[in-house]
Amino acid sequence: MITVHHLADSRSQRVLWLLEELELDYEVVRYERDRATYLAPASLKRVHPLGKSPVITDDTNVVAETGHIVDYVVRCHGQGRLAPEVGTPEYERYQYWLHYAEGSLMPPLLLQLVFDSVETRAPLLAKPVAKAIAGQVKKQFIRPQQALHFDYLESCLAAHPWFVGDSFTAADVMLSFPVEAAAARGVLRNDRHPQLLAFVDRIHARPAYKQALSRGGEYAYA
Ligand SMILES: N[C@@H](CCC(=O)N[C@@H](CS)C(=O)NCC(=O)O)C(=O)O
C-alpha cells in the first residue's frame, strides 16, 4: 500500500493527483506547515532525513523527490498508463519534462519567493536598501528567466494540448505545479500565455484532479 506524506499547500498535491489518475489505492498522512516559518514539521524527518514533501512509502520503499516519485509510481504501478513506450522519441520527451519541472522551471519561481520575502521581512531601517537590491535582482535576472521559460512552455503547447503530445501523461502532472504557481502569481499573462492558462483550466476540470483535492484537504498552490 502506498502512503503519501502530504504537506499542506505543497508539491505533494501532484502525487495525490497522479495516484487518482491511475486509480490506485493509497493513504494520506497530512502535515501542517509551521505558521511562522512555513517549514514542514520535524515529524516529517522521521520518514526521510530531509523532512521535505512529497515523500511516499510503498511497503519497505521510501521514495522522495517528486520527479522520482512520479517516475516510480508510473513504472511500478502504472501498468503502461500515463507514459509513452520506452525507446520512443515521446518517451525521451516525457523524461525531459519529468526532470525539467523541478530542475529548471522551479528555481526562477522559488527565487521570486525568496526575494519577495527579502523585501517584506527586512527590518524597517534596512527596508529601502533591501527593496532596491531585491528590485534589481528581479529586474535583471528573475523576471527575464521566468519569461524565457514560460514563453518556451507556451510555444510547446502550440500544436498539442499536452506536453508530450496529444495524450495526457504524468509529465503534465509534473509540470502542473510550477504552471499553476506562475498563473496564481501573475507571471502568466492572458495575451502572452493563452495556451498555458488553458492548460491550467484543462487540468482543473479533470475528475481525478478534483478527487485529489478532496483527499488532500485545503490547498493553496500560490
Ligand atoms: N525538489 C523537491 C522539493 C521538495 C520541497 O522543497 N518541498 C517543499 C514543499 S513544496 C517542502 O517540503 N517544504 C517544507 C520545508 O522545506 O520544510 C521535490 O520536488 O520533491
Side-chain angles (χ1 to χ4, degrees), residues 7-12 14 33 38-41 44 50-54 64-67 69 102 174 177:
L7 180 65
D9 301 335
S10 82
R11 289 158 165 92
S12 50
R14 272 183 297 198
R33 291 177 182 267
Y38 209 55
L39 293 174
L44 204 44
L50 290 181
K52 306 276 177 198
S53 179
E65 193 62 47
T66 318
I69 296 170
E102 284 294 319
M174 201 56 209
F177 182 79

Side-chain angles (χ1 to χ4, degrees), residues 32-64:
E32 299 301 329
R33 291 177 182 267
D34 182 284
R35 278 167 191 253
T37 64
Y38 209 55
L39 293 174
S43 53
L44 204 44
K45 289 204 171 103
R46 289 203 283 271
V47 186
H48 184 280
L50 290 181
K52 306 276 177 198
S53 179
V55 57
I56 66 166
T57 53
D58 184 18
D59 294 329
T60 55
N61 292 330
V62 178
V63 189

